[in-house]
Amino acid sequence: EKWATTRPKHPPTTLALQHFDSTYSVQLGQLWPSVRAALLSERKYGALLNHFSHDASPADLEAQGCRDFITDTDTQAQLCSEQEPEVRLEEEDGVSLKKSHADQQLSSLRLSPNIKCLVFPRGNITRFKPAKPDMLGYLGYYLMDAASMLPCLVLDVQEGHSVLDLCAAPGGKALALLQTQSIDFLCVNDTSVSRTTRLKRVFHSYVPKQLLSKQKLRITSFDGTKWGEIERDTFDRVLVDVPCTTDRHSLIEDDNNIFSKSRTGERRGLPQLQLELLLAGIEAACPGGEIVYSTCTLSQVQNQSVVEQAVSLALEDRGIQLQVVDLRPLTHMFRKTFHFAPDLHVGEMVIPHLAANFGPIYMCKLKRLT
Amino acid sequence: TLLSAQRSHDAAPLCSKPVTELSLRSLANMGFTDIQAEQIYDSVSKARGGSTAKHVLSTLTALFSMGLNPSSVLKLLEKCPELYTVKEPQLQQRIDNLRKLGLVEGSLQRTVSHHPQILTVPVKTIKNVVVFLRENCLFTTHQITDILRDSPATLQENLDQLEYKFQYVYFRMGIKQTEMLKTRLFRFTLDEVRCRHTFLERRGLYQTPDKKGQTAVINPKLDSVLNIDLDTFLSNVAKASAEEYDVFQRLMAREWQEQEHYGKIEADS
Ligand SMILES: C[S@@+](CC[C@H](N)C(=O)[O-])C[C@H]1O[C@@H](n2cnc3c(N)ncnc32)[C@H](O)[C@@H]1O
């Protein structure tokens, strides 16, 4: 009787698992059991160091065995990826999806020295303690999936840039972007008012007021799909971190779950919403600007398909030519910390693994040529 | 009783007249070699002194009554020195009880030699476990004998723990009593069982059967989950790396520890 369940027969978490079993076993094949076990087990976090806190010294965390994964890279991997580009050039992905030269990308992979994210090493399951406020009340670090740092790094923010974060709440990635301290103007948007309120609270616990002035930061609650109508050809960088099936979350939390019967319509509509958000982000970027699309789902329909459609629709309907940027140098660099899905047609994806239980995070970078 | 006196007489023919005093000579008379006798003498004097020494000979007589030879008796005592302190009537009662439970000649000796601690368990405790196995787990008398023979340590387990283990395997894994017996389930600790099972379950390779006993995947047999070494389990059944399982085990251990801790706090308040 101890095992007789009192839960409803088909709780949303169970429906989510059934759905993933049928789609991901096909999509990931042999990899799925391993990813599945990781998704259903305790995840790992990363501690994004807050430069604005007096307690931001990583010494304490390093004493516990943590390391900054961004500087602790696989040097050997870097070497062999540098020898590779010639071979890669032969690959052609069709008319609209040209991958740029790998060697070009290597030199343009300038990661901000100010973003530091500490993680416990592979196989180590130690948990982080909650961050403590310094004497001014600023917290020393922000705990988040370390793989969510990658879209921020990939965005490659440079001195003087203006940046749009189209779906920003609760603000983890925006906080990472602020750490670079090179952004001229940051615009953070999220359609949900309650979530933007939460984002503001996060900002106030991490960032000094003078950096949150109207000249430097704008926080809005618009429907992101409409952005192209408001402000076109404007931003140097646009992050489009869309709502998705939040795979990990959907497997553990029944409340408010996207797989509950009452949200079926919303769930089915996700790829369309994602496409519209990405297209709006593309329009918001200036010619020559760069857009990063990211999700925390493994779903091909919400990842690669959305990007592919956006690329062709941008050209057909809006005359915007895009280039898919090759992120392989980056995956090579960080393969000591993350497991990446092999051979995606466009973009890169961190897949969960018990020994490195981060992700899933999908990301794809587009460069506006026109 | 007349009967047990008779039996000890038969089993230890060298001991012709009742002896009460422990001495090397009395031990030699029972059939121990000089060296064996000295070993026993030493351990007894090291044990609890006077009171033990007085009843040791009758205790030994009771052990001989199972038909064990002197060197088997010695091995048994080396494995479980607590037996020196058990008095003859209790010991005899426990042996008789095991016989009543179906451990007949041959299996009795093997079970006792393999797990002499079984003779330190009071008859009442064993009766409770047997009733529990029959009434709560619906094992047949015959199956219970098998459990005693194959996994005698079961008798010393905490009943709550035992119930949890049984229910876990019965309800969560959907395993019937016959298969539990075949796998000698009770030789494994709860944590061993649920760690391997949960690992398979999270990988999508094991499912709890529904009311009709059906599953969407073919569950591996309990035998191939438990009765194989870790490497074979990982390569043939779980199809996972040792690294994954190692991390998983540590995660589970922490999870269970936290649940227990949490449970205790709840029970206290
Ligand atoms: C994956 S979350 C963003 C997480 C955030 N980037 C971070 O790192 O903390 C997706 C967000 O998209 C927002 N969203 C949903 N529909 C939107 C829309 N039409 N326009 C703008 N934001 C939207 C949701 O409120 C949600 O906060």
Side-chain angles (χ1 to χ4, degrees):
Chain A
E1 278 70 10
K2 265 184 195 169
W3 302 103
T5 94
T6 49
R7 294 179 305 162
K9 219 170 156 196
H10 295 296
T13 46
T14 308
L15 295 175
L17 189 56
Q18 283 167 0
H19 180 89
F20 296 159
D21 270 333
S22 58
T23 48
Y24 298 154
S25 60
V26 177
Q27 195 187 306
L28 294 172
Q30 302 268 301
L31 285 173
W32 172 234
S34 160
V35 173
R36 189 187 197 270
L39 277 176
L40 291 168
S41 301
E42 190 176 322
R43 69 188 307 177
K44 283 184 80 163
Y45 284 89
L48 168 67
L49 281 199
N50 182 18
H51 285 288
F52 309 116
S53 161
H54 288 280
D55 281 351
S57 135
D60 274 2
L61 292 171
E62 277 167 358
Q64 293 173 52
C66 288
R67 55 184 176 79
D68 173 26
F69 85 81
I70 300 164
T71 43
D72 182 23
T73 51
D74 196 336
T75 42
Q76 252 192 327
Q78 260 177 297
L79 278 180
C80 62
S81 72
E82 273 163 28
Q83 288 157 1
E84 246 177 328
E86 228 76 86
V87 190
R88 297 293 187 194
L89 284 181
E90 304 303 320
E91 267 178 45
E92 230 2 88
D93 289 311
V95 201
S96 55
L97 300 175
K98 263 187 207 137
K99 288 199 175 181
S100 63
H101 299 179
D103 49 355
Q104 261 176 24
Q105 287 313 308
L106 262 178
S107 53
S108 74
L109 207 101
R110 301 155 293 186
L111 304 178
S112 166
N114 292 326
I115 302 188
K116 285 200 165 40
C117 182
L118 279 79
V119 294
F120 284 99
R122 188 179 175 87
N124 185 324
I125 60 166
T126 315
R127 294 179 184 135
F128 287 103
K129 295 185 183 65
K132 282 192 296 246
D134 67 3
M135 58 227 201
L136 293 173
Y138 298 120
L139 295 169
Y141 50 84
Y142 183 85
L143 292 181
M144 64 195 300
D145 188 328
S148 325
M149 273 301 106
L150 297 179
C152 306
L153 293 170
V154 161
L155 196 62
D156 186 28
V157 172
Q158 300 297 320
E159 203 64 44
H161 273 168
S162 69
V163 179
L164 168 64
D165 186 352
L166 196 59
C167 311
K173 293 190 190 72
L175 191 61
L177 296 175
L178 283 175
Q179 297 297 320
T180 63
Q181 295 177 56
S182 54
I183 298 180
D184 212 38
F185 180 70
L186 175 65
C187 183
V188 288
N189 177 70
D190 198 287
T191 189
S192 153
V193 176
S194 64
R195 284 172 68 93
T196 32
T197 310
R198 211 171 119 204
L199 176 141
K200 283 178 196 160
R201 233 182 301 134
V202 170
F203 276 19
H204 284 288
S205 341
Y206 284 88
V207 187
K209 283 208 177 55
Q210 63 270 22
L211 291 168
L212 304 176
S213 69
K214 284 211 172 65
Q215 292 77 38
K216 295 202 133 299
L217 179 78
R218 188 171 79 199
I219 301 177
T220 53
S221 304
F222 296 131
D223 174 358
T225 60
K226 304 272 160 26
W227 206 277
E229 295 166 19
I230 319 167
E231 209 172 19
R232 286 168 192 251
D233 307 336
T234 307
F235 295 94
D236 301 296
R237 297 288 184 262
V238 180
L239 179 60
V240 187
D241 187 36
V242 294
C244 66
T245 44
T246 55
D247 294 359
R248 196 184 277 276
H249 186 74
S250 297
L251 287 173
I252 48 168
E253 183 63 57
D254 277 319
D255 279 354
N256 222 348
N257 191 307
I258 186 87
F259 284 88
S260 63
K261 286 264 152 60
S262 59
R263 295 183 69 186
T264 306
E266 187 188 340
R267 178 166 58 83
R268 298 228 169 100
L270 277 174
Q272 182 59 32
L273 173 63
Q274 291 157 345
L275 175 63
E276 287 173 28
L277 284 166
L278 178 52
L279 281 169
I282 290 168
E283 286 189 294
C286 61
E290 296 179 342
I291 302 105
V292 171
Y293 175 77
S294 61
T295 74
C296 55
T297 175
L298 296 162
S299 159
Q300 207 167 355
V301 177
Q302 298 175 64
N303 295 334
Q304 296 97 304
S305 306
V306 169
V307 171
E308 283 165 358
Q309 286 182 66
V311 169
S312 60
L313 281 180
L315 186 63
E316 283 168 31
D317 297 354
R318 296 161 176 84
I320 299 175
Q321 218 185 336
L322 294 155
Q323 179 189 45
V324 177
V325 180
D326 187 358
L327 299 177
R328 270 175 303 198
L330 182 107
T331 58
H332 271 278
M333 194 169 164
F334 293 128
R335 67 178 180 189
K336 194 170 160 187
T337 305
F338 304 108
H339 279 240
F340 290 94
D343 310 320
L344 297 198
H345 189 51
V346 277
E348 296 290 345
M349 181 163 71
V350 173
I351 53 173
H353 183 275
L354 276 164
N357 208 348
F358 303 108
I361 291 288
Y362 172 83
M363 72 208 109
C364 185
K365 179 163 163 167
L366 302 172
K367 188 176 172 68
R368 252 186 88 159
L369 300 178
T370 58
Chain B
T1 64
L2 193 63
L3 192 71
S4 59
Q6 181 70 41
R7 198 179 281 138
S8 50
H9 184 80
D10 288 350
L14 288 175
C15 166
S16 46
K17 59 178 194 288
V19 269
T20 48
E21 226 16 56
L22 176 72
S23 64
L24 287 175
R25 225 174 74 97
S26 54
L27 289 168
N29 280 342
M30 293 179 107
F32 292 106
T33 65
D34 289 351
I35 299 172
Q36 290 172 334
E38 258 171 60
Q39 263 175 295
I40 294 185
Y41 196 83
D42 277 0
S43 356
V44 175
S45 15
K46 257 186 255 152
R48 273 198 226 140
S51 69
T52 309
K54 276 211 188 86
H55 67 252
V56 150
L57 286 182
S58 53
T59 302
L60 288 171
T61 309
L63 293 176
F64 276 114
S65 80
M66 282 185 290
L68 297 171
N69 62 30
S71 62
S72 308
V73 169
L74 183 65
K75 265 201 213 112
L76 205 121
L77 288 164
E78 274 169 355
K79 253 183 164 174
C80 180
E82 296 97 295
L83 281 180
Y84 282 120
T85 62
V86 182
K87 298 207 171 101
E88 187 269 344
Q90 267 114 341
L91 198 57
Q92 198 55 60
Q93 212 189 5
R94 289 172 196 176
I95 293 169
D96 291 345
N97 184 50
L98 291 177
R99 281 204 171 94
K100 251 197 325 219
L101 290 170
L103 290 183
V104 288
E105 302 315 312
S107 57
L108 175 68
Q109 286 79 351
R110 247 177 289 125
T111 306
V112 169
S113 313
H114 178 251
H115 189 80
Q117 290 82 357
I118 196 174
L119 293 176
T120 64
V121 185
V123 169
K124 195 161 173 274
T125 311
I126 296 196
K127 281 195 171 137
N128 287 343
V129 178
V130 167
V131 168
F132 166 83
L133 289 172
R134 184 161 35 234
E135 290 178 3
N136 296 42
C137 313
L138 306 178
F139 284 111
T140 66
T141 308
H142 188 74
Q143 287 172 329
I144 293 171
T145 308
D146 285 352
I147 294 174
L148 299 185
R149 195 192 49 221
D150 294 332
S151 346
T154 310
L155 295 169
Q156 285 169 288
E157 261 188 73
N158 171 307
L159 280 191
D160 288 340
Q161 205 94 351
L162 206 56
E163 176 159 37
Y164 190 88
K165 179 155 68 184
F166 173 79
Q167 296 202 337
Y168 186 92
V169 176
Y170 190 84
F171 291 107
R172 276 271 273 141
M173 300 182 70
I175 304 285
K176 296 280 169 280
Q177 285 87 343
T178 334
E179 206 182 331
M180 294 186 199
L181 259 292
K182 232 173 52 204
T183 313
R184 301 182 173 141
L185 166 72
F186 291 106
R187 286 192 181 179
F188 300 92
T189 66
L190 171 66
D191 285 356
E192 285 170 321
V193 175
R194 61 178 172 174
C195 199
R196 286 195 180 185
H197 165 252
T198 315
F199 191 60
L200 292 177
E201 188 176 58
R202 292 203 186 164
R203 292 182 74 84
L205 303 173
Y206 203 108
Q207 267 174 19
T208 303
D210 62 13
K211 288 215 177 69
K212 288 180 206 142
Q214 288 169 336
T215 53
V217 300
I218 301 167
N219 287 340
K221 288 259 172 295
L222 188 63
D223 208 45
S224 67
V225 176
L226 294 180
N227 268 330
I228 49 173
D229 63 82
L230 184 62
D231 286 346
T232 321
F233 169 73
L234 290 175
S235 57
N236 292 1
V237 187
K239 303 200 168 56
S241 70
E243 184 193 36
E244 285 175 290
Y245 193 68
D246 170 61
V247 174
F248 185 75
Q249 266 182 312
R250 283 184 279 128
L251 284 173
M252 286 295 108
R254 179 166 74 188
E255 203 172 288
W256 294 328
Q257 200 187 344
E258 283 168 353
Q259 274 170 6
E260 247 164 60
H261 183 66
Y262 189 65
K264 273 200 193 103
I265 292 171
E266 270 194 327
D268 285 350
S269 58

